[in-house]
Amino acid sequence: MAGRRAQAETFPARMKMRLHRARIALRKSGVDYFRGEGSDWVALVGLLLTVPVITLGTLVDPVWCSPTALVLPIVAGGLVLRPASLLGLYAAAAAAMIVESAKLGPYAEGAARVTPGTVLVVAACGFFGLLIAQFRSRVGVPWRRGGTMLFDLRERIRVQSKLPQLPEGWHREMALRPAGGQSFSGDFVVAARTNGGRTLEAVLTDVSGKGMDAGSRALLLSGAFGGLLGSLPPHAFLPAANAYLLRQDWDEGFATSIHLVLDLESGDYELFSAGHPPGLQLSAGSGRWEEKAAEGPLLGVYDGAQFDPIKGSLRPGDVLMLFTDGLVETSDRDIAEGIDRLTGEADRYVSGGFHGAAWHLIEAVAKDVNDDRALLLICREA
């Protein structure tokens, strides 16, 4: 034991241990820096070095390198630095401007001098940069990860809205278009195959609000609804979702939802609705669309709500279409007219099949509507 301890305490062993610790510390600091949790000293040093470079360029040729060029590191600093570091950069920029003013002479002697307008422009850019940095610091967004966090949120919603693979003889697809061309939507789908894979359960939800305003609530609800789906009997899902929404106590906390429970072997299904627009079923035999409207109040309005299902069956060649109100209802068009227009456009795909039809239907029916739009298609192939 003593021999091993002596061997471990030799100079090469100690150096190897220190090198190992240094390597781990360097790796950790690099990861923290990339994630935005480390110090911003590297960015600060880089921006501080640009200040004398710009100052030297201004003194050499003030016509091509104007004194207002100092706004460049100031604007960049407002985007990447913390408020405390930003003040240090501002101090360096102010000192550089004093040097430029002293070397170039009074602004009354000619162009390319440090004028009062130059000072105002640089000061205004610094003020707005400080506001941005303080806001970012208050909300706790890492200084390099703000855009990445929003990207992660969008991808999580997209992943949670993926539909499971269906057995042969079935086709499913979903299209989602947020309001105003944004990346975030108040409409979402959660779906899972339950009962040993025999049953498809899909829930299409429309959260109050639209676009970015409803995106955070949609992310929270999609995670909660995804956890409830398959963990409860189908008839208990909407009551549990309603109770969850009531517990959030949001000022604008209601949502509409439609819950499909489809037997993939027989084609029989149940539709549960919480204030949602009706589903539409195409009968291959008659070629007509039939509304499937279940009864139920909005989610998040009052406790103890009851949701009564409507039953149906998908035969070979039949299609079931679920959608949100943004697809069929606008300020100048009621829902009945919107449904007629939607079914009219959908009739064009009856002969050729509905593969790829969801996205094209939204484009044809509600391309320029300033609301979130979602469409879910379930087809039983002939």
Side-chain angles (χ1 to χ4, degrees), residues 8 36 60 68 73 104 134-135 212 217 246 258 263 265-266 286 289 300 303 322 335 344 346 359 365:
V60 172
T68 55
L104 295 176
Q134 287 181 338
F135 174 78
M212 189 77 72
R217 283 175 289 154
L246 286 171
I258 190 166
D263 189 319
E265 294 184 4
S266 65
S286 64
W289 292 93
D303 198 8
L322 308 178
I335 189 171
W359 187 87
V365 175

Side-chain angles (χ1 to χ4, degrees), residues 114-289:
V114 179
T115 66
T118 302
V119 177
L120 288 176
V121 169
V122 175
C125 291
F127 174 74
F128 287 114
L130 187 60
L131 287 181
I132 294 172
Q134 287 181 338
F135 174 78
R136 199 171 57 240
S137 177
R138 285 181 59 189
V139 299
V141 178
W143 64 281
R144 284 177 298 275
R145 285 293 304 275
T148 305
M149 289 175 65
L150 293 176
F151 176 79
D152 289 343
L153 287 174
R154 185 190 68 183
E155 290 305 306
R156 287 179 185 274
I157 295 176
R158 183 173 298 176
V159 168
Q160 290 176 352
S161 295
K162 284 187 176 180
L163 302 175
Q165 293 291 331
L166 299 185
E168 186 178 356
W170 292 93
H171 171 69
R172 86 288 182 267
E173 64 180 75
M174 183 249 185
L176 177 64
R177 293 288 297 273
Q182 301 181 25
S183 298
F184 297 90
S185 173
D187 297 349
F188 65 88
V189 170
V190 291
R193 290 181 63 177
T194 60
N195 194 21
R198 173 175 176 171
T199 302
L200 170 68
E201 292 192 52
V203 179
L204 176 60
T205 303
D206 182 0
V207 179
S208 58
K210 59 187 177 183
M212 189 77 72
D213 296 333
S216 58
R217 283 175 289 154
L219 177 64
L220 178 63
L221 290 183
S222 64
F225 287 9
L228 292 174
L229 196 67
S231 301
L232 298 172
H235 67 272
F237 174 81
L238 287 182
N242 181 60
Y244 176 82
L245 202 56
L246 286 171
R247 289 196 299 269
Q248 306 311 306
D249 197 24
W250 289 329
D251 293 335
E252 191 180 4
F254 66 89
T256 69
S257 191
I258 190 166
H259 179 199
L260 169 66
V261 184
L262 172 64
D263 189 319
L264 295 172
E265 294 184 4
S266 65
D268 297 334
Y269 67 85
E270 288 184 320
L271 272 181
F272 299 82
S273 178
H276 203 83
L280 296 173
Q281 179 178 347
L282 172 67
S283 174
S286 64
R288 295 181 179 179
W289 292 93

Side-chain angles (χ1 to χ4, degrees), residues 36-38 43 53 69 141 169 178 219 228 272 282 309-311 327 340 363:
E37 298 170 357
V53 172
V141 178
L219 177 64
L228 292 174
F272 299 82
L282 172 67
I310 185 173
K311 298 183 178 181
L327 193 63
D340 288 341
E363 284 287 302

Side-chain angles (χ1 to χ4, degrees), residues 52-68:
V53 172
I54 292 175
T55 303
L56 181 61
T58 301
L59 296 179
V60 172
D61 193 348
V63 175
W64 285 97
C65 187
S66 169
T68 55

